[in-house]
Amino acid sequence: MKKEIRNGIIKWAIIFALVYLAYIWQKETFDKAADIIINLPVWVNVLVAVSSLCYFFFEGAIIYRMTYFDKERISLWDGIKCGLYCAFYKAATLGSASGFAEIYYLNSCGVPVSKGTGMTLTQYTFQKIAIGIMGTASFIVLLFTKEKGIANYEGYVALGVLVIAVIVAFLMFLAASKWLADLILKIARKVLKEGRRFHDKLELIETNVTAFNKEGRNILSRKKEALLLLGLNMLKLCCWYIMPWIVLLPHYKLNPVRVLLLLAVVNMISCVMVSPAGLGTFEFVFITVFSLIIAKESAAAAAILYRFYSLIFPFIVGAFFVALHKRKKKLTEEG
């Protein structure tokens, strides 16, 4: 975990440098965006904060349902706390330690490490499926309703669909097929068998693949449960996708469904561009797309607040649960 936090600090330093360069490049736009943010009514920030927290309600519901049929079943509240606990480490390390954080937290709730590992990877798979379905469906709807400029992004959307489809197809096959899991482990053992320095990596691969395959087959054997998890993931994403509409409400009377559809497309396109936690790439695509229907400075303000309430605000709330968890652990150890 310490290594991930150190890497996170380096990533944040790079991000801050890029943000500074972007500010110099588009100073006028960002100054106007800052004025818009400062002058927003209090109720806008309250509603966006609530919408952000609703995301973690559904995240908690997903975690809760994934343990529902096990003897180590955790409560919905523990699931919500787990989501916010992971949000802290996601922001601190820009994504690299959030999976480890979830496994650790679930284990403290009585969920075995192997089960927690499988759950984390299965959650990732279902979220990618939800992003792909919502992004593709939204693009088709926007195309048929002749949304201004959306046809210009056909290539990016096609690439986004392709990338997500490949990732999801591989993960779903790995989750459902013991044959593929065994084949990957066989290849890994052959490639990494030489030298002790690869021993830990091989052990990690074996643990992850075995746990993911077991958990994946467990969930996919219950079709209704799999559909429920997919639906919860879509509802979870909607909580964040609707935030820009709330931010823009004092200045623009946009259709909330239209904003939600555009955000789904933006998120899928940004998945194609690799960056830590999507920082920079998401904002670039967001401002580019939304500038077609609103002023550029308003799009920039909405993008900045979206990032704040989807990354920084959960980090702040999550810090409380991290501190609470550490205090609880300390009291337990002291007897």
Side-chain angles (χ1 to χ4, degrees):
M1 188 76 81
K2 287 181 180 179
K3 182 184 176 183
E4 280 77 16
I5 291 173
R6 187 172 64 250
N7 290 339
I9 293 169
I10 295 168
K11 289 176 187 175
W12 270 113
I14 295 169
I15 292 295
F16 278 125
L18 292 173
V19 168
Y20 179 69
L21 290 173
Y23 174 74
I24 293 172
W25 179 44
Q26 294 286 335
K27 187 178 184 300
E28 187 179 347
T29 298
F30 283 110
D31 283 345
K32 288 180 180 177
D35 286 336
I36 291 170
I37 292 169
I38 292 166
N39 292 306
L40 278 175
V42 174
W43 63 264
V44 170
N45 284 285
V46 171
L47 284 179
V48 178
V50 170
S51 188
S52 174
L53 291 176
C54 285
Y55 175 98
F56 292 96
F57 170 80
F58 289 112
E59 179 83 333
I62 291 165
I63 295 168
Y64 163 68
R65 289 302 307 184
M66 290 185 79
T67 63
Y68 188 78
F69 296 99
D70 303 318
K71 62 179 181 180
E72 307 91 1
R73 181 166 68 177
I74 66 171
S75 67
L76 174 61
W77 176 234
D78 276 328
I80 294 169
K81 288 192 291 183
C82 178
L84 287 163
Y85 181 91
C86 296
F88 172 84
Y89 286 102
K90 178 185 178 181
T93 64
L94 288 176
S96 59
S98 58
F100 295 115
E102 181 171 350
I103 294 165
Y104 174 77
Y105 190 92
L106 289 171
N107 186 241
S108 71
C109 293
V111 178
V113 172
S114 58
K115 167 75 177 177
T117 303
M119 279 178 62
T120 303
L121 293 168
T122 305
Q123 271 180 266
Y124 174 81
T125 303
F126 274 90
Q127 182 163 307
K128 284 294 182 187
I129 294 171
I131 290 171
I133 291 173
M134 291 180 73
T136 306
S138 296
F139 181 75
I140 292 169
V141 171
L142 291 169
L143 209 56
F144 275 98
T145 54
K146 295 180 171 56
E147 180 65 42
K148 185 180 177 182
I150 201 70
N152 298 335
Y153 298 95
E154 285 180 350
Y156 293 107
V157 171
L159 187 57
V161 171
L162 180 63
V163 169
I164 290 176
V166 169
I167 293 170
V168 168
F170 173 75
L171 290 174
M172 288 295 286
F173 193 25
L174 180 58
S177 170
K178 194 171 186 309
W179 173 83
L180 181 60
D182 290 339
L183 178 64
I184 288 173
L185 291 176
K186 186 178 179 181
I187 293 169
R189 290 187 190 108
K190 186 172 285 189
V191 172
L192 302 176
K193 68 178 180 179
E194 300 296 333
R196 289 184 178 180
R197 67 194 181 107
F198 293 121
H199 177 74
D200 290 342
K201 287 185 179 180
L202 180 58
E203 203 171 71
L204 182 64
I205 290 170
E206 288 178 338
T207 301
N208 288 348
V209 170
T210 304
F212 179 49
N213 181 253
K214 183 180 178 182
E215 184 63 21
R217 285 188 291 130
N218 179 38
I219 296 233
L220 292 173
S221 66
R222 302 186 182 100
K223 291 181 175 59
K224 286 184 180 178
E225 193 66 22
L227 288 172
L228 175 61
L229 289 175
L230 182 59
L232 287 171
N233 269 285
M234 289 181 174
L235 288 171
K236 178 181 79 171
L237 291 169
C238 284
C239 293
W240 279 2
Y241 287 175
I242 204 65
M243 291 194 297
W245 175 74
I246 301 170
V247 172
L248 296 167
L249 202 52
H251 304 290
Y252 296 93
K253 303 305 176 187
L254 298 174
N255 185 326
V257 176
R258 183 189 187 192
V259 173
L260 195 148
L261 294 174
L262 284 169
L263 247 294
V265 173
V266 166
N267 195 31
M268 190 171 71
I269 293 173
S270 64
C271 284
V272 179
M273 305 173 187
V274 181
S275 71
L279 283 172
T281 55
F282 176 88
E283 286 75 12
F284 172 75
V285 178
F286 184 106
I287 294 170
T288 303
V289 171
F290 274 81
S291 292
L292 297 170
I293 59 171
I294 59 175
K296 193 174 183 180
E297 56 269 20
S298 296
I304 291 166
L305 282 175
Y306 179 92
R307 182 57 72 187
F308 177 82
Y309 281 104
S310 64
L311 186 70
I312 307 302
F313 177 67
F315 167 81
I316 295 167
V317 178
F320 170 76
F321 290 102
V322 169
L324 199 68
H325 188 266
K326 286 186 176 180
R327 185 174 180 275
K328 184 181 177 182
K329 183 184 176 185
K330 187 179 179 181
L331 290 172
T332 304
E333 288 173 351
E334 289 175 353

